[in-house]
Amino acid sequence: MHPLSGWDSAGHWAYFEHGGQSMLEETATPERLYSLLLVSFPCALLATVIYAYFCWISTEKILSGTRAALLSLYAFITPTQSFWPSQYLFIARSTAASADKVIRLPLSTLYEDLLNDVVELRRPQDHLPLLFANKLLVPGRICLDVELFWRFKLFWWMLCCYMRRYRPMVSIITKHEGANDPLPDNTQLTCSPPPPYPRSAQDPTDVTSASAPPSTLFFSMLYENAPAVSLDCVPYHALERTIRKLQDALAPGSYLTVGLTTRAGAAARASLTDPKTIITALPFFPRAYLRACARPTSSANANDERTTAPLLATLPHVLSMLTSGPRPLSVSLVRNVSAEYAEFLRRSVRDLEDDWEIRDAFVREWGVRGWREERVCTAWEAALVDVGWLAGWAVVVRKPE
């Protein structure tokens, strides 16, 4: 009986069991297995070769891109050891795998490694201004990546400055007896101001200079024939009270040089969350070594710390406060001293690096990490002035008789 015309249960199962066994025996013959191997093996081998080739090409591209990124980094910074730290290898590999090939250097990595002596800047005077302006090509392009952490740090620092109790202290520095004489028409800047850092531990008058901000030192010695005061260490919220106290303390008919640092250029128009503001604020943050090494006999003073005034104050606002109030002052001269201030900062860095007396005295007072921090922050501030994000101003005022 044909299986399709009338099938019973036994015949049905017998037919399929017999047919399945016949098909299995027909398929599993050695000839067919051999033919299948002859077709599949070359296909698998070809696919493996193609995959390996593309892996090799991509690996070569990654390796060559990593080498190029490390060479660009090496033109900007140099490791203090004989090998690159792992974080820079990761940055180089990420750059090689990216589409734009831009080296994005995290600000925290660069700053902390400079303080910890992991890397050194090769030519900070030339490279830092270009880095801030996103124009550093060595030959690859390097730009700073400002993490979210720095925004929180900026707002926390501003809050601490606002909450800190500040008593306006008028510290007018007079350089000689004729300091209050009228200014001549050809008033000139001091060509060679004294070094800002102590040369020896035996000089007690110079040891206090080690903790003073460079701007305070610069503006205090700016003009030969007028006493001077810097507003950089005055919190912004206490600026008006300090100026009013200056107006009261100044003798009638005398002159005073008021120095201040303000944001300028693109940084002046940037918001507080803009990366330009974070980069500009970095040298004004409290020095870590001053807090770590603070002791009763130390020369560190809370009133010597940089504050929020350079970030928030503007020259027109300061001039309006100087010329207003119960005892207004008259403005005799306003001068942009940014070029002189930048040169002063660069000379301070050279003194810290090359003058062994200044270097040894600073290290004895504040430690090696403090020396590195002061050197990095001072070079950073000089670069900010060079790129046009900070401006130094000298305002000569006179109290009417």
Side-chain angles (χ1 to χ4, degrees), residues 48-126:
T48 303
V49 171
I50 294 174
Y51 176 76
Y53 174 75
F54 280 104
C55 288
W56 178 75
I57 291 295
S58 60
T59 302
E60 284 297 315
K61 289 182 179 179
I62 293 295
L63 287 177
S64 62
T66 302
R67 295 191 195 99
L70 288 176
L71 287 175
S72 298
L73 284 173
Y74 191 70
F76 172 56
I77 55 177
T78 178
T80 56
Q81 303 294 329
S82 58
F83 53 88
W84 279 102
S86 59
Q87 60 267 31
Y88 294 96
L89 295 176
F90 177 78
I91 293 172
R93 283 194 294 266
S94 301
T95 302
S98 64
D100 53 8
K101 307 301 180 185
V102 176
I103 303 174
R104 290 176 172 81
L105 191 59
L107 177 59
S108 297
T109 299
L110 177 62
Y111 185 68
E112 291 299 327
D113 288 347
L114 288 173
L115 299 189
N116 294 327
D117 199 29
V118 177
V119 296
E120 284 284 348
L121 295 172
R122 282 189 171 271
R123 295 159 54 193
Q125 181 177 346
D126 299 328

Side-chain angles (χ1 to χ4, degrees), residues 171-184 187-190 216-230 250 253-259 330 332-333 394-399:
S171 179
I172 301 176
I173 302 176
T174 305
K175 287 176 279 301
H176 52 77
E177 295 180 356
N180 289 330
D181 294 343
L183 291 175
T187 302
Q188 298 294 325
L189 289 173
T190 304
T216 305
L217 296 164
F218 174 73
F219 291 123
S220 68
M221 60 185 69
L222 186 58
Y223 287 98
E224 288 288 350
N225 57 342
V229 64
S230 174
L250 201 60
S254 59
Y255 289 82
L256 175 67
T257 300
V258 180
S330 60
S332 301
L333 176 68
V395 181
V396 181
V397 295
R398 179 181 180 272
K399 187 171 184 178

Side-chain angles (χ1 to χ4, degrees), residues 326-344:
R327 298 174 179 83
L329 306 176
S330 60
V331 177
S332 301
L333 176 68
V334 178
R335 180 167 179 177
N336 188 321
V337 293
S338 300
E340 294 87 351
Y341 183 38
E343 179 57 32
F344 175 86

